[in-house]
Amino acid sequence: MADEIRVQKEDLTRFCVAVFEKLGVPRHDAEVATEVLVVADLRDKGSHGVARLARYVEGLKAGLMLPTDHSKVVREAETTALLDGGKGLGQVVAVKGMDLAIAKAKAHGTGFVTVRNSNHYGIAGYYALRAVEHGCVGISMTNAAPLVVPTFGRDAILGTNPIAIAIPCEGEPFLFDAATSVVPRGKLEVYDRLGKSMPLGWAVDARGKGTANAREVLDNLIKRRGGGILPLGGEGEEFSGHKGYGLALTVELLCATLSASAFGGMTYVDEHSANVGHFFGAIDVAAFRSLPEMKREVRQYLDALRSGPKAEGHDRIYAHGEKGFAFERDCLKRGIPLGSKVVDSLKRIGGDLAVPWPG
Amino acid sequence: MADEIRVQKEDLTRFCVAVFEKLGVPRHDAEVATEVLVVADLRDKGSHGVARLARYVEGLKAGLMLPTDHSKVVREAETTALLDGGKGLGQVVAVKGMDLAIAKAKAHGTGFVTVRNSNHYGIAGYYALRAVEHGCVGISMTNAAPLVVPTFGRDAILGTNPIAIAIPCEGEPFLFDAATSVVPRGKLEVYDRLGKSMPLGWAVDARGKGTANAREVLDNLIKRRGGGILPLGGEGEEFSGHKGYGLALTVELLCATLSASAFGGMTYVDEHSANVGHFFGAIDVAAFRSLPEMKREVRQYLDALRSGPKAEGHDRIYAHGEKGFAFERDCLKRGIPLGSKVVDSLKRIGGDLAVPWPG
């Protein structure tokens, strides 16, 4: 990008930690929240990275998020726990939840933790990968503000509700991490900025009919006039949009009803409580078979998959996660690329809070 | 359908049980295998119902499937187990696996069981629903014979790898049960029979390019000439085909590598062993919160979702599972509708084995 600025990971981290601290977040928690944001940028998920820092600043200032951690386990058994997030930073609460699931998996084979009363937790995959570090399969899901329209419906009442599943592998782990919508909102914003028509199958208008007009959809979403983004599989049932809708709904039910947090349509209705819910799971591979053997086999299988014959016009088959890890390696060498608008917003935040922008 | 014949559930069940028994399957196991097949027909998943009986008959005759149960637990811990299916009937082995997961969940909160050395297990949702009967969330996945082409690839190396997740609810449970392919092979067969062009986005030809020619794709699949069905999200990345591919791959890895069974591309390579793998999970709702409260909330949420505003031209929003349960109620009154070709194949089987076709 022409207007792209490269920032070193350490500099960006130091800046974000200082911003969180200025807003009353204790050092350790500031580091946790920052890490999840910066890792998103490192893995080419910029929409969930430091570009969102402004939302966290606003959330902390408005009292939607509390700077100090009031989370507590409200129910716990051998392999399960329900954590009340205490309106804390989503990242801080989510790390606690995932780490509790991992500890249970290491002790008993499997561990599952649900979280209520939390906030936006960043990239789902971050938490799933924590489990891999302990030789576990990691599962991470969250519900989210409503943007997605159910099949045959007209109103956005489901979040983009991501599913992340990380699986140990020799070398880099396998990481599936995807919203259950056909595209993220950020994609509509790109088309809007460029004044381009979207492909039909990404979104519907206020009548629930397919539209190519990104501006109209974004506008309708903000004003809650109806319409929104379609689930994976698109409009209706022809390309199995009902499957993407079902995945979104499954995530919603696992996150919201096992934790008694709000459903997608009801998150963020109170300006002082988002009440987002998360679902975390860890499954210890060693409970089933030798971890090194399993990791070797996953690697061999993914290698075979990647080396299979390619579609005409393509020269590479990817396994999930590898694009992000390659992007990270490049960022660690050359710095993290940030758009000039993002840098401007960070500088503004820094200016307001007397945190100097690096360099 | 003009050539549709309605058969009572009890008659169809008696017939199938007798067929399995004639092939050396003990009574109880014959009943289990039959139930899974007949429930598929009852829930409008005819492609996985008694229409497949011929495949089981052939599998048993050829020694791909063994009539008697040689499955055994090869590794077990508090909340986990690995079951060797002993080349048994997939349904018999899968019920054992799921029931073991449920027992572990009732004792410890969660239970996960993987299965190797098994066969085609029918509808994934059947097993997930067993967990709901015990107040648990149920998870069921299986890998399968290769039909699906990875994003940017040219060869079918993934199964249609279904995911089923059942969630307790007041009244009928929520049941997500879907192949991770954009459509099932059966859909291509319908288009082939009707001589219709398929929508682009369902399948690719031997070069890995989108095609509307169902006959060609089916033919290529049988002859393993390349091409096949696309994952949910379709061709390439424009509609997030990589997400469907990632879901299929996740199922593959969970089913095959946690159990050390064969991967999709390598199932059914030996005519005497399919070596299909399954993955089952159960999570006890009561470990997190009151089951009746949770079930009420799920019901209220799904009711709200269904009563939301509809897209122009549509008058109903469905929650997953409800179409199948409605179909079942109708079948129990009026009989199960079977196509005349299916009935002919059943009669042929009955004729060969001296099992009289009902009525």
Side-chain angles (χ1 to χ4, degrees):
Chain A
M1 265 193 290
D3 65 349
E4 157 189 304
I5 294 145
R6 291 214 171 237
V7 183
Q8 291 303 313
K9 178 191 169 189
E10 295 70 24
D11 292 337
L12 191 59
T13 298
R14 211 175 302 118
F15 175 80
C16 293
V17 169
V19 165
F20 279 119
E21 283 194 282
K22 285 278 186 179
L23 293 163
V25 179
R27 181 59 172 256
H28 173 264
D29 292 355
E31 288 171 348
V32 168
T34 294
E35 174 162 291
V36 182
L37 292 176
V38 171
V39 164
D41 286 305
L42 283 170
R43 304 252 169 86
D44 203 15
K45 293 221 168 193
S47 62
H48 286 61
V50 298
R52 290 208 183 216
L53 189 64
R55 280 187 49 175
Y56 289 91
V57 171
E58 284 161 28
L60 286 163
K61 283 185 174 168
L64 182 73
M65 304 166 187
L66 298 183
T68 52
D69 178 17
H70 298 273
S71 67
K72 58 174 188 288
V73 172
V74 289
R75 190 153 183 169
E76 187 169 15
E78 265 175 292
T79 66
T80 57
L82 166 56
L83 189 65
D84 186 297
K87 295 174 56 180
L89 284 166
Q91 290 85 346
V92 172
V93 174
V95 164
K96 280 180 104 172
M98 187 75 223
D99 286 356
L100 186 53
I102 294 166
K104 288 173 179 297
K106 295 313 286 184
H108 304 285
T110 55
F112 282 79
V113 174
T114 62
V115 181
R116 70 184 181 205
N117 208 8
S118 183
N119 279 290
H120 192 273
Y121 80 175
I123 43 169
Y126 177 86
Y127 310 101
L129 282 176
R130 286 181 86 88
V132 164
E133 289 168 29
H134 299 271
C136 295
V137 170
I139 301 165
S140 160
M141 304 180 191
T142 185
N143 67 3
L147 293 174
V148 174
V149 177
T151 304
F152 304 143
R154 187 151 57 79
D155 278 4
I157 44 176
L158 292 159
T160 48
N161 296 3
I163 300 174
I165 301 184
I167 298 178
C169 176
E170 255 184 19
E172 286 158 356
F174 172 85
L175 174 61
F176 176 76
D177 179 5
T180 48
S181 55
V182 61
V183 287
R185 183 181 11 200
K187 201 108 171 197
L188 273 64
E189 288 164 352
V190 170
Y191 274 69
D192 176 30
R193 267 202 300 281
L194 300 174
K196 272 177 67 180
S197 285
M198 297 186 294
L200 282 175
W202 283 8
V204 291
D205 64 17
R207 297 169 305 148
K209 306 291 276 185
T211 176
N213 188 333
R215 166 72 53 90
E216 188 192 338
V217 175
L218 292 167
D219 218 47
N220 285 343
L221 278 170
I222 290 165
K223 296 179 182 141
R224 297 216 176 186
R225 277 195 299 227
I229 303 171
L230 284 163
L232 177 60
E235 190 178 355
E237 295 182 330
E238 187 175 10
F239 296 98
S240 294
H242 57 290
K243 292 186 184 179
Y245 157 44
L247 287 167
L249 188 46
T250 301
V251 172
E252 194 75 53
L253 292 170
L254 292 177
C255 291
T257 69
L258 282 182
S259 71
S261 60
F263 293 105
M266 275 82 79
T267 55
Y268 300 96
V269 288
D270 175 351
E271 63 182 299
H272 295 300
S273 171
N275 200 8
V276 166
H278 316 307
F279 177 92
F280 299 110
I283 301 173
D284 193 17
V285 172
F288 295 92
R289 59 182 300 211
S290 149
L291 177 65
E293 265 177 48
M294 180 269 193
K295 287 171 75 171
R296 192 177 326 124
E297 214 175 82
V298 172
R299 172 63 168 270
Q300 286 165 351
Y301 176 62
L302 295 180
D303 282 349
L305 189 83
R306 280 185 282 244
S307 66
K310 316 298 182 286
E312 222 173 85
H314 292 278
D315 55 12
R316 199 160 164 187
I317 296 171
Y318 296 90
H320 297 76
E322 68 172 280
K323 279 185 183 178
F325 292 121
F327 194 85
E328 181 171 10
R329 282 192 298 275
D330 183 64
C331 287
L332 294 179
K333 269 187 241 153
R334 306 202 296 138
I336 298 170
L338 298 176
S340 62
K341 274 191 178 172
V342 172
V343 172
D344 288 347
S345 97
L346 295 176
K347 284 181 176 169
R348 226 172 5 250
I349 293 169
D352 288 349
L353 294 169
V355 176
W357 176 248
Chain B
M1 263 195 289
D3 63 351
E4 157 190 303
I5 294 145
R6 291 210 172 240
V7 183
Q8 290 304 312
K9 178 192 167 189
E10 294 69 25
D11 292 336
L12 191 57
T13 297
R14 209 175 303 116
F15 175 80
C16 293
V17 169
V19 165
F20 279 118
E21 284 194 281
K22 287 277 185 181
L23 292 162
V25 180
R27 181 59 172 258
H28 173 263
D29 292 354
E31 287 171 348
V32 168
T34 294
E35 174 161 292
V36 182
L37 292 176
V38 171
V39 164
D41 285 306
L42 283 170
R43 303 253 169 86
D44 203 14
K45 293 220 166 194
S47 61
H48 286 61
V50 297
R52 290 208 181 216
L53 188 63
R55 279 187 49 175
Y56 290 90
V57 171
E58 284 162 29
L60 285 163
K61 284 185 175 168
L64 182 73
M65 306 166 186
L66 298 183
T68 51
D69 178 18
H70 299 274
S71 67
K72 59 174 185 288
V73 172
V74 287
R75 190 152 181 170
E76 186 169 17
E78 264 176 291
T79 66
T80 56
L82 166 55
L83 189 65
D84 186 297
K87 296 174 57 181
L89 284 166
Q91 290 86 345
V92 172
V93 174
V95 163
K96 280 181 105 174
M98 187 76 223
D99 286 357
L100 186 54
I102 295 166
K104 288 174 179 296
K106 295 314 285 184
H108 305 285
T110 54
F112 282 79
V113 174
T114 62
V115 181
R116 70 184 181 206
N117 208 7
S118 183
N119 279 290
H120 192 272
Y121 80 175
I123 43 169
Y126 177 85
Y127 310 100
L129 283 176
R130 284 180 87 87
V132 164
E133 288 167 31
H134 298 271
C136 294
V137 170
I139 301 166
S140 160
M141 305 179 191
T142 186
N143 67 3
L147 293 174
V148 174
V149 177
T151 304
F152 304 143
R154 186 150 58 80
D155 277 4
I157 45 178
L158 293 159
T160 50
N161 296 4
I163 301 174
I165 301 185
I167 298 179
C169 176
E170 256 183 20
E172 285 158 357
F174 172 85
L175 174 61
F176 176 76
D177 179 5
T180 49
S181 55
V182 62
V183 286
R185 187 190 354 210
K187 201 108 171 197
L188 272 65
E189 289 164 351
V190 170
Y191 274 69
D192 175 31
R193 266 201 301 280
L194 300 175
K196 270 177 69 179
S197 284
M198 297 186 294
L200 281 176
W202 282 9
V204 290
D205 62 19
R207 298 169 304 147
K209 308 289 278 182
T211 176
N213 188 334
R215 166 71 53 91
E216 188 192 338
V217 175
L218 291 167
D219 219 46
N220 285 343
L221 277 170
I222 289 166
K223 295 177 183 143
R224 296 217 176 185
R225 277 196 298 228
I229 304 171
L230 285 163
L232 177 61
E235 189 178 356
E237 295 183 330
E238 186 175 9
F239 296 98
S240 293
H242 56 292
K243 293 186 183 179
Y245 157 44
L247 288 167
L249 189 46
T250 301
V251 172
E252 194 75 54
L253 292 171
L254 291 177
C255 291
T257 70
L258 282 182
S259 71
S261 61
F263 293 104
M266 274 83 77
T267 56
Y268 299 97
V269 288
D270 174 352
E271 65 184 298
H272 295 300
S273 171
N275 201 6
V276 166
H278 316 308
F279 177 91
F280 299 110
I283 302 173
D284 193 18
V285 172
F288 295 92
R289 58 182 301 211
S290 147
L291 177 65
E293 264 177 48
M294 180 270 193
K295 288 171 73 170
R296 192 177 325 124
E297 215 175 82
V298 172
R299 173 62 170 269
Q300 286 166 351
Y301 176 63
L302 294 180
D303 282 349
L305 188 86
R306 282 186 280 244
S307 65
K310 315 297 182 287
E312 225 173 84
H314 292 278
D315 55 12
R316 197 158 167 190
I317 296 171
Y318 296 89
H320 298 76
E322 70 174 276
K323 280 185 184 178
F325 293 121
F327 194 86
E328 181 171 9
R329 281 191 299 275
D330 184 64
C331 287
L332 294 179
K333 268 187 242 152
R334 306 202 294 138
I336 298 171
L338 298 177
S340 62
K341 275 193 177 171
V342 172
V343 172
D344 287 347
S345 97
L346 295 176
K347 284 181 177 168
R348 228 173 1 252
I349 293 169
D352 288 348
L353 295 169
V355 176
W357 176 249

